Amino acid sequence: MTVPAAARNEAARRAWAALRPRLEPDAVAALGAADADAFLSRADLALFDVHEPLAVLYGPAADELFERALRMVLTAAGERPAALRRIDRRREIDPGWFQRARVQGYVCYVDRFCGTLDRLPGHLDHLAELGTTYLHLMPLLRPRPGENDGGYAVADYRAVDPRLGTMADLEQVATALHDRGMSLCIDLVLNHTAREHAWAQGWLAGDPAYAGFYTAFPDRTMPDAYDATIPEVFPDRAPGSFSWVPEACGGAGGWVWTTFWPYQWDLDYANPEVTLRMLGEITWLANRGVDVFRMDAVPFMWKRLGTSCQNQPEGHSLLQLLHALARLAAPGVVFKAEAIVSPDDLVPYLGGHDRYRPECDLAYHNQLMVLLWSSLATQDTRLARQALGRMKPIPPTASWVTYVRGHDDIGWAVADEDAAAVGLDPFAHRRFLNDFYAGRFPGSYARGALFQENEATGDARVSGSAASLCGIEAALEAGDDAALDAGIRRLVLLYSVAFAWGGIPLLYMGDELAMRNDSGYLADPERAPDNRWLHRPPMDWAAGERRGDPATLEGRVFGQLQRLGAVRRSLLALRAGVESVLLDAGSDEVLVWRREHPRSGAFVGVANFSPHPRGLDADTVTGYGTFEQVHGSDGPLRVRDGRLVVPGLGFAWYAEP
Ligand code: GLC
Ligand code: GLC
C-alpha cells in the first residue's frame, strides 16, 4: 500500500481542488465571510495532514472521508462560541502560547479537590498562589457504574459524571479559568470506551450503525496469536488483552479486545466511522471550553499481529489526522500525548518522525520522571545523563510536560541499552528500584507499594505519593527532624528539575502540601484492589491552612514550590522550544543541564542527588563566571578550591544576566 509521497500530495491537491469551491459557500453561510476565509486558509495549510493520513489509513475511501470530515469540522467551527473564537485568534497569533515559562500546571481530581465542579472556581486562589496557569482535571466525563478505572471507562463523552456536576458546570469552570488566564485540560480516553457506552451497546446488539466499532473473535485462535506478543498492562487481575463476552458475536459469545480492564473495550480505528465519531466528541468538548486534551493511552490505538500492538505507524497517522481536523474547528486547542513508552518511541508522538509531521503538541516526559526517581535511589546521575543525553530532539513547536508524580504507578522504563552503557543490569536495576521504593531495601526511607507484581516475569511497578516515596512519611512517623529535612529536600530537588527542564511543569495535587499515602481506598471494594489509589488522597484543606507558615511541613514545601514557579516565570531560557543539554561538571551525583534560548542568555541547572555536599567545576556551571545564581536551595553556593560546593540534596539555578 506504499504510495509515493508525491502521488499522495497530488491526490490531496486534487481532492481539495474539487471540494473547496463546494465548501466555500457553506463556510460563508456558517461562519461569515471573514471567519470562512480563515477556516479555508487553515484547511489549505492542513491539507496534507488531513488527506494523507486518510489515504494511508483508509485507502480508496479517502476522498469521501475527506469531505465528510471537513464538513464535520466546519459545522463544529460554526457552533464554536464567540469567546472561544477570540481565544483561538489570540493563539493563532501566538502559536507558542503553551511553551511560555509562565505556563505551569496543576493536576487534580475534582471530587478529591473540592467535591463538585461548581465549587472549583472558589478554589482558584489556591491555584493562582502556586502560579498555576494550566489545570488538568482528572477524568470527569460520565463513567460506567461501579468500577471505572478512576474514570477511564467512559460511558458518555457528552455528559459529566453526575457526582461531579453537569456539563454546564464544566463550561463555567472553563470560563472562570479563561477569565484568569488559565487553561483547562481534560482526559480524552480514545483507545476504549466503557462497555456501557451507547456505541458498545449498539455494536453488541448488532445495530449496523456500530458495525465494526469494536473487535471480537469467536474462539481463542486469534486472541492467543495476538497475546503471544502483547505485554500485559494489568497482569494480576486482567491477564491478556481479551475478555469473554457471552453476548458478543450475535449472541454466540466472543473474545472482545480489552487491553486494560475487561469493562474497557478497545475501539477499532481501522474503521473510519470510529475515527469520525471520536472526532465529533473532540470538537464537541472543545466547544465547551476545553483547551488541552490529554490523549489517553495513545500507543495502543492500532493493532498489528506479531507486534506489541503499541506505537504502530498507523496510530501516529491517526493522531496526526485528529489533531489537524480538531484544529480546523478549534485552532486554539492543543493535544497532549500520554505515551508511557521508551524514549525512541516517545518523540514521534510530538511529530518527531524522519520527516516532521505535526501530531501532539505536548507529551509527558516519562523518561525524565523515571530517571529522577532512579537517580534519587542510586544517588547517581549517570543513567539519567546517558538516557536523557541520547534522546532525539523534539520539534521546536512542541513541548514536554514535566512531572514528578501523577495518578498512575511508576513503571521503570529504563532502556536496556542505556542501563548497559553505564554498567547496570537492567533487570536487576528495576528490581532494585522496586525494592527501594517499596521500602524493602535495607536503609530505604521510601514508603511505596508494588503495583502489578508479575510473578512470571519478575516485573513490577510502584505506587505511592511523592512525599511518601521521598521519606517524609517515614520521618514523621519516627519523629526524626533530620530525616524530615532530608525528605523535604528530596521532594523539592525533584521538583526543581521538573520546573527547569523546559516544558510545562505539573504539580500533582497534594504534593504542594507534602501529602502522604492514603490507605482510605482499602475500605471501598471498588477501589481496594487497585493500589494506585494510595497516591490519590482527598485534598487536606486543614493542612492547606498551614501553607503560609514556614515552621510547618506544609509551609516549607508550599513556599519552596511557589518560589520555583516565581523564578521560573522570570527566565526566558525556561521557555520551551529549545533542548536541555546535559553537562559533565565533574560529579556523577549531580545532574547539570544547560538551556539556551535564542532570545535570552544561557541557563544552567544543578541538582545534587547525593545527601552529601559535592564539588563541581565552577567554570562549567557559571560559564567562566558570567552567569549569576538566580535561585537555589541553600542561598549562594560557595566556591572551595575552584569548585562550587552543592550541599547534599541541594539545587541551584544559574542564568546569564
Ligand atoms: C492511562 C491512564 C490510566 C488508565 C489507562 C487506561 O494510562 O493514565 O490511569 O488506567 O490509561 O485508560
Ligand atoms: C497506561 C500507562 C502505563 C500504566 C497503565 C496503568 O497503560 O501507559 O504506564 O502503568 O496505564 O496505570
Side-chain angles (χ1 to χ4, degrees):
M1 236 206 15
T2 39
V3 180
R8 283 203 301 263
N9 290 354
E10 188 41 41
R13 263 189 226 104
R14 237 184 297 117
W16 185 224
L19 176 59
R20 202 184 199 280
R22 283 186 285 122
L23 201 62
E24 188 166 347
D26 299 340
V28 173
L31 303 173
D35 278 1
D37 187 55
F39 177 87
L40 294 168
S41 305
R42 261 177 236 134
D44 288 336
L45 282 173
L47 175 58
F48 299 132
D49 298 324
V50 176
H51 194 278
E52 183 180 82
L54 283 173
V56 166
L57 296 172
Y58 307 120
D63 283 359
E64 181 222 320
L65 292 167
F66 178 64
E67 171 152 6
R68 281 176 62 196
L70 278 171
R71 290 197 175 279
M72 275 180 74
V73 291
L74 174 59
T75 305
E79 289 164 0
R80 192 150 172 84
L84 297 178
R85 290 200 211 180
R86 258 198 307 280
I87 295 177
D88 289 338
R89 185 147 55 227
R90 260 184 256 141
R91 290 181 181 164
E92 281 194 305
I93 292 167
D94 177 20
W97 65 274
F98 59 87
Q99 298 189 310
R100 298 190 174 280
R102 68 176 284 275
V103 182
Q104 180 187 317
Y106 191 85
V107 185
C108 65
Y109 287 90
V110 174
D111 55 344
R112 327 215 109 220
F113 184 66
C114 61
T116 49
L117 278 169
D118 56 355
R119 297 208 205 122
L120 200 111
H123 286 83
L124 293 184
D125 285 345
H126 178 81
L127 300 181
E129 251 180 75
L130 286 164
T132 310
T133 57
Y134 166 114
L135 180 61
H136 173 193
L137 296 177
M138 293 297 292
L140 45 70
L141 300 178
R142 189 166 70 76
R144 72 190 292 271
E147 257 190 68
N148 62 34
D149 190 27
Y152 286 99
V154 179
D156 185 353
Y157 294 91
R158 302 198 182 200
V160 162
D161 182 343
R163 286 166 293 198
L164 305 178
T166 63
M167 199 42 85
D169 293 334
L170 183 64
E171 291 184 63
Q172 263 161 33
V173 166
T175 306
L177 290 171
H178 293 155
D179 286 348
R180 297 181 71 142
M182 301 181 184
S183 51
L184 171 64
C185 169
I186 71 165
D187 287 82
L188 188 83
V189 186
L190 66 173
N191 176 68
H192 45 264
T193 69
R195 60 169 293 160
E196 288 75 10
H197 192 284
W199 303 345
Q201 289 305 305
W203 172 76
L204 211 52
D207 181 342
Y210 302 105
F213 266 49
Y214 303 82
T215 312
F217 298 105
D219 58 47
R220 283 298 307 177
T221 316
M222 290 312 291
D224 285 342
Y226 279 111
D227 270 346
T229 53
I230 299 180
E232 294 170 310
V233 180
F234 298 132
D236 70 350
R237 288 171 64 233
S241 289
F242 301 85
S243 303
W244 178 254
V245 176
E247 305 91 319
C249 299
W255 292 94
V256 174
W257 204 306
T258 58
T259 299
F260 294 87
W261 299 116
Y263 50 79
Q264 288 164 310
W265 291 6
D266 288 40
L267 286 161
D268 184 359
Y269 284 92
N271 174 355
E273 299 305 323
V274 171
T275 307
L276 292 185
R277 287 302 283 264
M278 193 50 86
L279 171 68
E281 305 308 77
I282 297 173
T283 54
W284 192 86
L285 286 164
N287 282 352
R288 309 278 84 69
V290 174
D291 302 280
V292 181
F293 287 97
R294 173 189 178 278
M295 306 299 267
D296 182 63
V298 288
F300 301 88
M301 287 170 67
W302 198 275
K303 326 310 194 200
R304 175 170 278 114
L305 192 61
T307 71
S308 65
C309 290
Q310 291 186 39
N311 311 311
Q312 297 301 307
E314 291 87 346
H316 288 287
S317 298
L318 196 55
L319 280 171
Q320 180 187 8
L321 174 69
L322 290 173
H323 179 257
L325 286 167
R327 284 166 59 108
L328 287 180
V333 157
V334 156
F335 280 11
K336 172 172 67 168
E338 190 244 351
I340 310 304
V341 296
S342 79
D344 295 326
D345 288 329
L346 179 55
V347 174
Y349 289 97
L350 289 170
H353 303 275
D354 291 344
R355 263 189 275 168
Y356 172 64
R357 281 191 280 125
E359 204 168 300
C360 291
D361 311 279
L362 296 166
Y364 286 88
H365 203 326
N366 173 58
Q367 271 297 288
L368 181 66
M369 185 275 288
V370 163
L371 291 163
L372 288 177
W373 290 105
S374 169
S375 303
L376 195 63
T378 57
Q379 303 177 14
D380 189 318
T381 69
R382 275 174 298 176
L383 180 60
R385 220 187 289 166
Q386 153 72 24
L388 294 168
R390 186 174 70 80
M391 279 182 79
K392 291 209 192 73
I394 63 171
T397 47
S399 173
W400 292 117
V401 167
T402 53
Y403 63 115
V404 170
R405 242 359 236 110
H407 73 291
D408 275 331
D409 46 291
I410 307 176
W412 303 111
V414 174
D416 290 357
E417 68 167 292
D418 291 327
V422 295
L424 290 172
D425 169 346
F427 184 78
H429 183 58
R430 283 194 289 269
R431 167 151 295 182
F432 160 72
L433 292 170
N434 281 323
D435 286 344
F436 188 87
Y437 285 110
R440 294 176 177 175
F441 195 81
S444 167
Y445 45 75
R447 284 287 170 84
L450 292 186
F451 180 67
Q452 300 295 326
E453 197 170 6
N454 186 334
E455 277 172 18
T457 61
D459 284 334
R461 285 119 67 181
V462 163
S463 287
S465 82
S468 293
L469 296 180
C470 283
I472 292 176
E473 184 177 327
L476 287 172
E477 262 173 38
D480 181 338
D481 286 346
L484 181 62
D485 215 63
I488 295 174
R489 290 180 70 85
R490 288 184 199 107
L491 180 61
V492 176
L493 179 79
L494 299 186
Y495 269 104
S496 81
V497 184
F499 270 68
W501 187 258
I504 303 179
L506 298 183
L507 230 161
Y508 182 63
M509 179 182 117
D511 282 359
E512 76 275 33
L513 304 175
M515 284 183 59
R516 277 80 66 203
N517 290 345
D518 167 30
S519 50
Y521 74 101
L522 290 170
D524 173 356
E526 274 168 23
R527 292 185 292 141
D530 189 335
N531 73 16
R532 289 177 295 170
W533 289 99
L534 198 57
H535 51 262
R536 301 170 183 174
M539 187 67 168
D540 184 348
W541 290 106
E545 291 294 317
R546 297 192 286 274
R547 71 190 181 286
D549 180 354
T552 63
L553 165 65
E554 294 80 11
R556 289 169 73 184
V557 172
F558 192 91
Q560 292 188 74
L561 295 182
Q562 202 178 26
R563 185 90 190 109
L564 287 178
V567 180
R568 170 185 154 86
R569 283 193 286 288
S570 72
L571 295 170
L572 194 53
L574 294 188
R575 191 190 201 286
V578 291
E579 295 290 317
S580 280
V581 179
L582 290 145
L583 303 181
D584 182 353
S587 166
D588 286 340
E589 288 105 324
V590 186
L591 194 70
V592 182
W593 69 103
R594 176 175 171 135
R595 299 181 57 76
E596 218 132 348
H597 189 273
R599 302 283 297 266
S600 87
F603 168 94
V604 173
V606 164
N608 182 5
F609 286 85
S610 160
H612 309 294
R614 285 292 173 253
L616 294 181
D617 179 59
D619 288 338
T620 307
V621 174
T622 67
Y624 295 89
T626 56
F627 311 159
E628 283 168 8
Q629 190 180 330
V630 289
H631 192 33
S633 49
D634 301 87
L637 297 190
R638 284 177 303 123
V639 181
R640 204 191 302 137
D641 304 329
R643 288 175 77 79
L644 272 182
V645 184
V646 194
L649 300 171
F651 74 90
W653 291 357
Y654 285 81
E656 199 173 346

